[in-house]
Amino acid sequence: MKRAMFGCRVASLTVCVFAMALFLLANQAQAGEFTPTKPIQMIAAAAPGGGSDVMARTIAQIVASEKLSPQPLVVQNIPGGGSAIGTTQVSRMKGDTHALLVFNPASVAGLLVAGKGAATVRDLTMIAQLALDEQFIVVKSDSRFKSVKDIVDEAKTKENAISIAGADQADRVCARLFENAAGIKTRFVQFNSGGEAITALLGGHVDMIWANPPEFVSQHEAKMVRPVVLAQDKRMEQFKEVPTFKENNLDVVFKFYRGVVAPPGLSPEVIAYYEDMLKKLNDSKAWKELYLAKYMLSPGWQGSKEFTKTIHDSEAVFAETLKSLGLIK
């Protein structure tokens, strides 16, 4: 009899343990924990070789090498429309938990200029900011402009006499911020890429260009060009000799963020998964060496909520500036 009762107690205990395990598993499922179950699209809304493409491929490479995801990130290029085509495509992938998109200010400006039918930043889910690129005004080494003061002084003698080139609407916005701060008017010339802009500079077709370090560093090392001023709060470590606009009493600061966004309609659990994956990538030695140091970018981590505010704030600045240029209504 005792043996039978003992057997019943063991059986009851086994049932209880099993039931508890099922309860915990059910709760875990209910909590909505997310893990990717197939390869993740890592989309660059630009052609191969540009800054967005380099960032997308570096992220994919480090996620794989550091084993940050059970599924690989597969890079896909969707160029066109100043990044508006690829970005709009992602905005229409509502609820797609296996797609990410590299994002920067040029993407925001491109969407505004594209206008009706294009996405807006509110049609995307912001995941994280991973870096800050630096915006310089760059001239030829033998240029008559030795400083930003030289540029301003000459520009004040004749409106639109000085030409400044860029590769996208973000560069155009930078040019207008400079003009407003200095009380001048320059002639903006737009090219399809940073490579085209620097070729025009070297050929003497424009007086200066807006450029990020990766776009001019090789020519700088060859003493063909030199940066004269930086649109940041403080000097850049790799270019300590180059002053900021602020040091010249000009309020021109441009945060060229580089981050990752995703389609709309994602659950908090999916957002948290990708935010955590990118935080681990951001903190890795590989990211600091293979991306930040290699391409001369500054650290700039922001999580989903903070990055969302950054993008919305920049959209407001871009909208105001592009309206003043007559590019949008």
Side-chain angles (χ1 to χ4, degrees):
M1 184 69 175
K2 285 182 180 178
R3 193 174 294 170
M5 287 177 66
F6 178 74
C8 287
R9 285 175 184 169
V10 171
S12 297
L13 183 61
T14 302
V15 169
C16 285
V17 170
F18 182 67
M20 187 174 288
L22 286 176
F23 175 77
L24 290 172
L25 286 171
N27 270 5
Q28 189 178 42
Q30 204 168 24
E33 288 190 1
F34 170 76
T35 302
T37 56
K38 61 181 181 179
I40 302 155
Q41 291 183 76
M42 184 77 251
I43 297 167
S52 292
D53 177 67
V54 167
M55 182 179 185
R57 293 182 189 281
T58 305
I59 290 173
Q61 175 189 341
I62 295 173
V63 166
S65 65
E66 299 289 313
K67 297 180 172 55
L68 301 180
S69 169
Q71 295 290 335
L73 273 62
V74 180
V75 176
Q76 181 182 1
N77 296 90
I78 308 177
S83 81
I85 292 175
T87 304
T88 298
Q89 183 169 319
V90 171
S91 77
R92 293 172 180 167
M93 299 164 67
K94 186 174 181 179
D96 190 330
T97 59
H98 291 74
L100 298 171
L101 168 75
V102 292
F103 203 70
N104 61 53
S107 305
V108 178
L111 292 176
L112 288 168
V113 172
K116 190 176 180 180
T120 72
V121 296
R122 285 156 190 78
D123 297 318
L124 300 164
T125 301
M126 314 311 167
I127 304 297
Q129 175 181 291
L130 291 166
L132 290 171
D133 219 337
E134 316 295 357
Q135 288 282 84
F136 289 87
I137 286 182
V138 178
V139 299
K140 284 181 69 176
S141 292
D142 60 356
S143 170
R144 64 190 181 280
F145 300 118
K146 307 303 179 187
S147 68
V148 69
K149 183 180 182 301
D150 293 341
I151 298 170
V152 172
D153 287 347
E154 183 171 321
K156 284 185 175 179
T157 64
K158 188 177 180 182
E159 193 172 289
N160 295 322
I162 297 174
S163 57
I164 184 165
D168 51 47
Q169 298 299 340
D171 290 341
R172 186 182 288 269
V173 168
C174 282
R176 178 46 63 95
L177 292 175
F178 174 35
E179 289 176 344
N180 289 344
I184 60 173
K185 291 290 182 185
T186 61
R187 180 163 46 87
F188 186 81
V189 183
Q190 186 162 335
F191 291 92
N192 292 319
S193 68
E196 287 185 15
I198 201 161
T199 298
L201 176 67
L202 293 172
H205 305 295
V206 294
D207 294 309
M208 62 197 77
I209 63 171
W210 286 99
N212 305 126
E215 295 172 326
F216 71 83
V217 68
S218 60
Q219 290 85 358
H220 179 257
E221 289 172 350
K223 302 187 184 306
M224 299 166 70
V225 303
R226 54 184 169 80
V228 294
V229 66
L230 168 65
Q232 263 296 4
D233 295 302
K234 58 183 181 180
R235 296 194 184 199
M236 189 176 174
E237 184 67 26
Q238 296 92 330
F239 294 95
K240 288 182 179 179
E241 75 284 2
V242 182
T244 66
F245 280 98
K246 282 191 169 184
E247 291 176 64
N248 289 274
N249 299 313
L250 296 171
D251 187 15
V252 182
V253 176
F254 190 82
K255 302 289 185 183
F256 197 102
Y257 47 78
R258 291 193 181 274
V260 174
V261 303
L266 301 185
S267 70
E269 292 75 26
V270 175
I271 296 170
Y273 175 86
Y274 285 120
E275 185 179 2
D276 179 66
M277 180 188 80
L278 292 173
K279 183 65 170 73
K280 290 174 181 173
L281 174 136
N282 178 80
D283 294 343
S284 70
K285 182 181 178 183
W287 178 252
K288 292 165 187 173
E289 292 181 351
L290 298 179
Y291 189 68
L292 298 182
K294 182 176 180 179
Y295 296 105
M296 294 188 181
L297 279 79
S298 301
W301 170 262
Q302 286 184 348
S304 179
K305 288 183 180 178
E306 197 178 3
F307 190 37
T308 299
K309 184 179 186 307
T310 292
I311 289 182
H312 287 182
D313 289 348
S314 74
E315 183 194 42
V317 172
F318 282 12
E320 181 182 349
T321 307
L322 293 169
K323 281 178 185 176
S324 74
L325 289 164
L327 296 173
I328 63 173
K329 293 181 180 180

